mmCIF file of all heavy atoms in Angstrom:
data_model
loop_
_atom_site.group_PDB
_atom_site.id
_atom_site.type_symbol
_atom_site.label_atom_id
_atom_site.label_comp_id
_atom_site.label_asym_id
_atom_site.label_seq_id
_atom_site.Cartn_x
_atom_site.Cartn_y
_atom_site.Cartn_z
ATOM 1 N N VAL A 1044 54.308 55.288 20.532
ATOM 2 C CA VAL A 1044 53.384 54.177 20.358
ATOM 3 C C VAL A 1044 53.778 53.438 19.082
ATOM 4 O O VAL A 1044 53.863 54.042 18.010
ATOM 5 C CB VAL A 1044 51.923 54.661 20.253
ATOM 6 C CG1 VAL A 1044 50.977 53.480 20.116
ATOM 7 C CG2 VAL A 1044 51.553 55.525 21.460
ATOM 8 N N TRP A 1045 54.033 52.139 19.205
ATOM 9 C CA TRP A 1045 54.466 51.314 18.068
ATOM 10 C C TRP A 1045 53.441 50.220 17.804
ATOM 11 O O TRP A 1045 52.826 49.692 18.731
ATOM 12 C CB TRP A 1045 55.813 50.671 18.374
ATOM 13 C CG TRP A 1045 56.935 51.657 18.378
ATOM 14 C CD1 TRP A 1045 57.222 52.585 19.349
ATOM 15 C CD2 TRP A 1045 57.918 51.836 17.365
ATOM 16 N NE1 TRP A 1045 58.317 53.322 18.995
ATOM 17 C CE2 TRP A 1045 58.775 52.875 17.790
ATOM 18 C CE3 TRP A 1045 58.167 51.209 16.150
ATOM 19 C CZ2 TRP A 1045 59.854 53.301 17.027
ATOM 20 C CZ3 TRP A 1045 59.247 51.628 15.394
ATOM 21 C CH2 TRP A 1045 60.081 52.669 15.823
ATOM 22 N N LEU A 1046 53.271 49.886 16.525
ATOM 23 C CA LEU A 1046 52.399 48.795 16.117
ATOM 24 C C LEU A 1046 53.042 48.102 14.932
ATOM 25 O O LEU A 1046 53.358 48.753 13.922
ATOM 26 C CB LEU A 1046 51.007 49.320 15.738
ATOM 27 C CG LEU A 1046 49.994 48.267 15.299
ATOM 28 C CD1 LEU A 1046 49.676 47.305 16.445
ATOM 29 C CD2 LEU A 1046 48.718 48.922 14.798
ATOM 30 N N LEU A 1047 53.283 46.819 15.073
ATOM 31 C CA LEU A 1047 53.867 46.007 14.005
ATOM 32 C C LEU A 1047 55.181 46.594 13.486
ATOM 33 O O LEU A 1047 55.417 46.665 12.285
ATOM 34 C CB LEU A 1047 52.871 45.821 12.856
ATOM 35 C CG LEU A 1047 51.530 45.185 13.244
ATOM 36 C CD1 LEU A 1047 50.574 45.202 12.072
ATOM 37 C CD2 LEU A 1047 51.738 43.779 13.775
ATOM 38 N N GLY A 1048 56.030 47.061 14.408
ATOM 39 C CA GLY A 1048 57.334 47.586 14.043
ATOM 40 C C GLY A 1048 57.344 48.981 13.465
ATOM 41 O O GLY A 1048 58.364 49.457 12.993
ATOM 42 N N GLU A 1049 56.226 49.671 13.514
ATOM 43 C CA GLU A 1049 56.128 51.027 12.974
ATOM 44 C C GLU A 1049 55.623 51.976 14.049
ATOM 45 O O GLU A 1049 54.674 51.670 14.769
ATOM 46 C CB GLU A 1049 55.157 51.045 11.789
ATOM 47 C CG GLU A 1049 55.002 52.399 11.158
ATOM 48 C CD GLU A 1049 54.050 52.376 9.967
ATOM 49 O OE1 GLU A 1049 53.631 51.302 9.537
ATOM 50 O OE2 GLU A 1049 53.726 53.469 9.488
ATOM 51 N N CYS A 1050 56.257 53.128 14.150
ATOM 52 C CA CYS A 1050 55.801 54.134 15.100
ATOM 53 C C CYS A 1050 54.549 54.801 14.532
ATOM 54 O O CYS A 1050 54.558 55.298 13.414
ATOM 55 C CB CYS A 1050 56.894 55.171 15.337
ATOM 56 S SG CYS A 1050 56.397 56.420 16.526
ATOM 57 N N VAL A 1051 53.468 54.776 15.308
ATOM 58 C CA VAL A 1051 52.211 55.346 14.829
ATOM 59 C C VAL A 1051 51.816 56.619 15.562
ATOM 60 O O VAL A 1051 50.939 57.344 15.108
ATOM 61 C CB VAL A 1051 51.056 54.315 14.902
ATOM 62 C CG1 VAL A 1051 51.325 53.150 13.965
ATOM 63 C CG2 VAL A 1051 50.841 53.828 16.323
ATOM 64 N N ALA A 1052 52.466 56.900 16.697
ATOM 65 C CA ALA A 1052 52.147 58.119 17.445
ATOM 66 C C ALA A 1052 53.212 58.371 18.499
ATOM 67 O O ALA A 1052 53.939 57.464 18.886
ATOM 68 C CB ALA A 1052 50.782 57.988 18.128
ATOM 69 N N SER A 1053 53.272 59.619 18.935
ATOM 70 C CA SER A 1053 54.120 59.964 20.074
ATOM 71 C C SER A 1053 53.462 61.127 20.787
ATOM 72 O O SER A 1053 52.699 61.885 20.189
ATOM 73 C CB SER A 1053 55.530 60.333 19.622
ATOM 74 O OG SER A 1053 55.529 61.492 18.838
ATOM 75 N N GLY A 1054 53.726 61.240 22.074
ATOM 76 C CA GLY A 1054 53.155 62.336 22.840
ATOM 77 C C GLY A 1054 53.142 62.029 24.313
ATOM 78 O O GLY A 1054 53.758 61.065 24.776
ATOM 79 N N VAL A 1055 52.403 62.837 25.051
ATOM 80 C CA VAL A 1055 52.317 62.708 26.501
ATOM 81 C C VAL A 1055 51.087 61.869 26.853
ATOM 82 O O VAL A 1055 49.998 62.105 26.329
ATOM 83 C CB VAL A 1055 52.217 64.095 27.166
ATOM 84 C CG1 VAL A 1055 52.033 63.969 28.671
ATOM 85 C CG2 VAL A 1055 53.446 64.913 26.838
ATOM 86 N N VAL A 1056 51.275 60.896 27.744
ATOM 87 C CA VAL A 1056 50.157 60.071 28.194
ATOM 88 C C VAL A 1056 49.262 60.931 29.085
ATOM 89 O O VAL A 1056 49.692 61.466 30.099
ATOM 90 C CB VAL A 1056 50.643 58.828 28.965
ATOM 91 C CG1 VAL A 1056 49.456 58.037 29.504
ATOM 92 C CG2 VAL A 1056 51.512 57.963 28.070
ATOM 93 N N ASP A 1057 48.014 61.071 28.667
ATOM 94 C CA ASP A 1057 47.039 61.876 29.385
ATOM 95 C C ASP A 1057 46.413 61.078 30.517
ATOM 96 O O ASP A 1057 46.224 61.579 31.622
ATOM 97 C CB ASP A 1057 45.968 62.354 28.404
ATOM 98 C CG ASP A 1057 44.934 63.262 29.025
ATOM 99 O OD1 ASP A 1057 45.317 64.083 29.876
ATOM 100 O OD2 ASP A 1057 43.756 63.156 28.664
ATOM 101 N N GLN A 1058 46.097 59.814 30.230
ATOM 102 C CA GLN A 1058 45.403 58.981 31.208
ATOM 103 C C GLN A 1058 45.631 57.524 30.837
ATOM 104 O O GLN A 1058 45.857 57.200 29.671
ATOM 105 C CB GLN A 1058 43.909 59.298 31.181
ATOM 106 C CG GLN A 1058 43.101 58.619 32.241
ATOM 107 C CD GLN A 1058 41.634 59.051 32.199
ATOM 108 O OE1 GLN A 1058 41.222 59.824 31.338
ATOM 109 N NE2 GLN A 1058 40.854 58.568 33.141
ATOM 110 N N ALA A 1059 45.577 56.640 31.833
ATOM 111 C CA ALA A 1059 45.690 55.200 31.590
ATOM 112 C C ALA A 1059 44.702 54.480 32.498
ATOM 113 O O ALA A 1059 44.421 54.933 33.612
ATOM 114 C CB ALA A 1059 47.108 54.717 31.875
ATOM 115 N N ALA A 1060 44.198 53.356 32.014
ATOM 116 C CA ALA A 1060 43.292 52.549 32.832
ATOM 117 C C ALA A 1060 44.065 51.958 34.003
ATOM 118 O O ALA A 1060 45.255 51.659 33.886
ATOM 119 C CB ALA A 1060 42.677 51.433 31.986
ATOM 120 N N GLU A 1061 43.404 51.769 35.132
ATOM 121 C CA GLU A 1061 44.049 51.215 36.320
ATOM 122 C C GLU A 1061 44.656 49.850 36.065
ATOM 123 O O GLU A 1061 45.693 49.511 36.628
ATOM 124 C CB GLU A 1061 43.060 51.134 37.484
ATOM 125 C CG GLU A 1061 42.758 52.469 38.110
ATOM 126 C CD GLU A 1061 41.864 52.349 39.334
ATOM 127 O OE1 GLU A 1061 41.822 51.270 39.954
ATOM 128 O OE2 GLU A 1061 41.206 53.344 39.665
ATOM 129 N N ASP A 1062 44.014 49.063 35.198
ATOM 130 C CA ASP A 1062 44.538 47.730 34.905
ATOM 131 C C ASP A 1062 45.610 47.748 33.812
ATOM 132 O O ASP A 1062 46.167 46.709 33.453
ATOM 133 C CB ASP A 1062 43.415 46.771 34.527
ATOM 134 C CG ASP A 1062 42.718 47.125 33.221
ATOM 135 O OD1 ASP A 1062 43.096 48.128 32.568
ATOM 136 O OD2 ASP A 1062 41.781 46.399 32.841
ATOM 137 N N GLY A 1063 45.915 48.935 33.279
ATOM 138 C CA GLY A 1063 46.964 49.071 32.277
ATOM 139 C C GLY A 1063 46.600 48.538 30.900
ATOM 140 O O GLY A 1063 47.464 48.364 30.052
ATOM 141 N N SER A 1064 45.341 48.330 30.628
ATOM 142 C CA SER A 1064 44.927 47.754 29.344
ATOM 143 C C SER A 1064 44.846 48.781 28.225
ATOM 144 O O SER A 1064 44.991 48.426 27.052
ATOM 145 C CB SER A 1064 43.582 47.047 29.489
ATOM 146 O OG SER A 1064 42.582 47.971 29.900
ATOM 147 N N VAL A 1065 44.605 50.039 28.568
ATOM 148 C CA VAL A 1065 44.510 51.108 27.572
ATOM 149 C C VAL A 1065 45.143 52.378 28.120
ATOM 150 O O VAL A 1065 45.271 52.554 29.330
ATOM 151 C CB VAL A 1065 43.044 51.417 27.155
ATOM 152 C CG1 VAL A 1065 42.375 50.220 26.527
ATOM 153 C CG2 VAL A 1065 42.246 51.933 28.327
ATOM 154 N N LEU A 1066 45.539 53.258 27.182
ATOM 155 C CA LEU A 1066 45.990 54.590 27.581
ATOM 156 C C LEU A 1066 45.595 55.593 26.521
ATOM 157 O O LEU A 1066 45.276 55.231 25.389
ATOM 158 C CB LEU A 1066 47.492 54.632 27.878
ATOM 159 C CG LEU A 1066 48.512 54.283 26.802
ATOM 160 C CD1 LEU A 1066 48.628 55.334 25.710
ATOM 161 C CD2 LEU A 1066 49.865 54.115 27.462
ATOM 162 N N TRP A 1067 45.589 56.851 26.915
ATOM 163 C CA TRP A 1067 45.236 57.945 26.029
ATOM 164 C C TRP A 1067 46.437 58.869 25.881
ATOM 165 O O TRP A 1067 47.071 59.241 26.870
ATOM 166 C CB TRP A 1067 44.073 58.754 26.587
ATOM 167 C CG TRP A 1067 42.760 58.053 26.562
ATOM 168 C CD1 TRP A 1067 41.777 58.187 25.627
ATOM 169 C CD2 TRP A 1067 42.254 57.121 27.527
ATOM 170 N NE1 TRP A 1067 40.703 57.390 25.946
ATOM 171 C CE2 TRP A 1067 40.974 56.717 27.107
ATOM 172 C CE3 TRP A 1067 42.776 56.571 28.695
ATOM 173 C CZ2 TRP A 1067 40.199 55.809 27.813
ATOM 174 C CZ3 TRP A 1067 42.017 55.657 29.406
ATOM 175 C CH2 TRP A 1067 40.739 55.291 28.966
ATOM 176 N N ILE A 1068 46.722 59.254 24.642
ATOM 177 C CA ILE A 1068 47.749 60.250 24.364
ATOM 178 C C ILE A 1068 47.031 61.598 24.277
ATOM 179 O O ILE A 1068 46.023 61.725 23.580
ATOM 180 C CB ILE A 1068 48.491 59.948 23.037
ATOM 181 C CG1 ILE A 1068 49.168 58.579 23.093
ATOM 182 C CG2 ILE A 1068 49.490 61.062 22.712
ATOM 183 C CD1 ILE A 1068 50.306 58.477 24.075
ATOM 184 N N ALA A 1069 47.541 62.584 24.981
ATOM 185 C CA ALA A 1069 46.910 63.907 25.051
ATOM 186 C C ALA A 1069 46.832 64.560 23.672
ATOM 187 O O ALA A 1069 47.685 64.343 22.817
ATOM 188 C CB ALA A 1069 47.688 64.806 26.002
ATOM 189 N N ALA A 1070 45.802 65.366 23.502
ATOM 190 C CA ALA A 1070 45.646 66.154 22.284
ATOM 191 C C ALA A 1070 46.783 67.161 22.189
ATOM 192 O O ALA A 1070 47.260 67.673 23.197
ATOM 193 C CB ALA A 1070 44.300 66.871 22.296
ATOM 194 N N GLU A 1071 47.221 67.435 20.950
ATOM 195 C CA GLU A 1071 48.273 68.413 20.727
ATOM 196 C C GLU A 1071 48.018 69.095 19.392
ATOM 197 O O GLU A 1071 47.851 68.430 18.379
ATOM 198 C CB GLU A 1071 49.639 67.730 20.715
ATOM 199 C CG GLU A 1071 50.791 68.686 20.580
ATOM 200 C CD GLU A 1071 52.134 67.980 20.643
ATOM 201 O OE1 GLU A 1071 52.199 66.785 20.939
ATOM 202 O OE2 GLU A 1071 53.122 68.654 20.363
ATOM 203 N N GLY A 1072 47.995 70.425 19.401
ATOM 204 C CA GLY A 1072 47.715 71.153 18.165
ATOM 205 C C GLY A 1072 46.336 70.785 17.645
ATOM 206 O O GLY A 1072 45.360 70.810 18.382
ATOM 207 N N ILE A 1073 46.269 70.387 16.372
ATOM 208 C CA ILE A 1073 44.977 70.004 15.795
ATOM 209 C C ILE A 1073 44.664 68.524 15.995
ATOM 210 O O ILE A 1073 43.592 68.065 15.657
ATOM 211 C CB ILE A 1073 44.912 70.354 14.289
ATOM 212 C CG1 ILE A 1073 45.961 69.586 13.502
ATOM 213 C CG2 ILE A 1073 45.022 71.841 14.072
ATOM 214 C CD1 ILE A 1073 45.784 69.673 12.005
ATOM 215 N N SER A 1074 45.618 67.771 16.559
ATOM 216 C CA SER A 1074 45.391 66.351 16.832
ATOM 217 C C SER A 1074 44.483 66.191 18.041
ATOM 218 O O SER A 1074 44.611 66.910 19.025
ATOM 219 C CB SER A 1074 46.715 65.642 17.112
ATOM 220 O OG SER A 1074 47.542 65.676 15.994
#
């Protein structure tokens, strides 16, 4: 996941909205 040229997160996509407007990155460890 990138924002303004900076990587802010990485992981497995847990779920996404049908219209593709949002997605969720799965929890991992304490995140």
Side-chain angles (χ1 to χ4, degrees):
V1044 182
W1045 289 75
L1046 180 64
L1047 303 173
E1049 181 179 352
C1050 181
V1051 296
S1053 64
V1055 176
V1056 176
D1057 183 38
Q1058 186 177 3
E1061 285 185 23
D1062 66 0
S1064 61
V1065 299
L1066 61 71
W1067 289 262
I1068 300 293
E1071 184 177 352
I1073 62 169
S1074 297

